[in-house]
């Protein structure tokens, strides 16, 4: 049996692994599933069709799986799916998806959501991201792996942030941020490359050198975007880090932060 504090309220239909711990005064709804080794602190509310994987830690006053803050939502049976090894600090909020947005809000593995951060409906968060205090992700935002958002920053709906992007504290991101890049300001503009982050994630000096050259071609030359992409493909195509960058930029719908 899961270790549930006597003051907690767990619906009989909820499915908790036997190693789950639930703290005082927490409330867990009927459609909730929580995996092995996860710990739910005091005064946490988990509701909706929410699936939480293994080894997650949820701190006091987090609200997980609540209805979307979307006036079009009419009670559809949508989902929130959270992977393994995530940390949700105090007063974080993560909402289920909407029918119009695919029906699922999805969080990967080993992410840190600091206090008062918010993940809205239909967002997709990858692996190894750090979302600092009071960061707000609007609906349908995509964070790819190893993205870092500084405190009090916000991301406009339908915006994508590529792998290893770094968003400075207080920034307002309204357009896609290309992989490996640093952005800051209101409205956010590029401020260079996240070289320290790339080094920490094991990128070689040769790889970082290619990324620097690609950045110059994309964002510092006077080439049109299509011309810049064509040059990247011709000169550096076949290198995985460059091919990924080209694909990301080519698929941008909101336009790129520059």
């Amino acid at each position: 049996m899961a270790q549930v504090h006597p003051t907690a309220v767990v619906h009989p239909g909820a499915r908790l692994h036997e190693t789950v711990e639930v703290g005082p005064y927490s409330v867990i709804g009927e459609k909730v599933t929580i995996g092995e080794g996860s710990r739910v602190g005091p005064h946490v509310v988990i509701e909706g069709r929410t699936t939480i994987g293994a080894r997650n830690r949820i701190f006091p006053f987090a609200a997980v799986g609540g209805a979307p803050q979307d006036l079009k939502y009419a009670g559809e049976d949508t989902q929130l799916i959270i992977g393994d090894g995530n940390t949700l600090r105090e007063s974080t909020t993560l909402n289920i998806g909407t029918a119009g947005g695919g029906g699922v809000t999805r969080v990967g593995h080993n992410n840190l959501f600091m206090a008062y951060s918010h993940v809205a409906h239909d967002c997709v968060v990858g692996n190894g991201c750090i979302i600092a205090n009071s960061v707000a992700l609007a609906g349908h935002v995509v964070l790819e792996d190893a993205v870092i958002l500084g405190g009090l920053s916000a991301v406009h709906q339908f915006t994508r942030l590529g792998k290893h992007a770094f968003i400075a504290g207080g920034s307002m991101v309204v357009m896609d941020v290309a992989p490996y890049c640093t952005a800051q300001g209101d409205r956010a503009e590029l401020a260079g490359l996240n070289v320290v982050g790339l080094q920490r994630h094991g990128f070689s000096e040769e790889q970082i050198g290619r990324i620097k050259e690609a950045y110059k071609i994309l964002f510092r030359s006077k080439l049109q975007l299509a011309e810049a992409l064509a040059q990247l493909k011709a000169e550096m195509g076949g290198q995985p880090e460059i091919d990924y960058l080209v694909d990301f930029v080519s698929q941008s719908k909101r336009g790129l932060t520059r």
Side-chain angles (χ1 to χ4, degrees), residues 162-236:
K163 293 179 182 179
H164 304 286
F166 182 96
I167 309 302
S171 298
M172 299 290 111
V173 181
V174 298
M175 303 181 80
D176 293 349
V177 177
Y180 321 126
C181 291
T182 296
Q184 64 182 27
D186 179 15
R187 295 313 195 234
E189 297 179 351
L190 292 188
L193 288 168
N194 182 19
V195 175
V196 173
L198 295 176
Q199 291 170 339
R200 288 174 176 171
H201 283 89
F203 281 71
S204 68
E205 289 303 314
E206 184 179 5
Q207 288 175 308
I208 292 173
R210 283 195 293 267
I211 291 169
K212 288 180 177 179
E213 184 61 29
Y215 181 91
K216 291 177 183 178
I217 293 170
L218 277 173
F219 301 114
R220 292 289 180 258
S221 72
K222 295 182 179 181
L223 296 173
Q224 295 292 324
L225 183 60
E227 296 173 324
L229 291 172
Q231 182 173 333
L232 286 179
K233 291 178 182 178
E235 296 181 359
M236 289 183 275

Side-chain angles (χ1 to χ4, degrees), residues 10-16 28-33:
V10 178
H11 192 283
R15 294 183 292 175
L16 278 58
I28 297 178
E30 178 182 7
K31 300 176 183 178
V32 173
T33 300

Side-chain angles (χ1 to χ4, degrees), residues 9-17 27-35 45-53 64-67 73-82 96-97 103 105:
V9 178
V10 178
H11 192 283
R15 294 183 292 175
L16 278 58
H17 189 273
V27 178
I28 297 178
E30 178 182 7
K31 300 176 183 178
V32 173
T33 300
I34 304 178
V45 176
I46 306 176
E47 55 186 324
R49 187 173 296 281
T50 296
T51 301
I52 299 173
V64 180
Y73 180 70
E76 296 89 352
D77 190 23
T78 53
Q79 299 183 72
L80 168 64
I81 299 175
I82 299 174
I96 57 175
T105 303

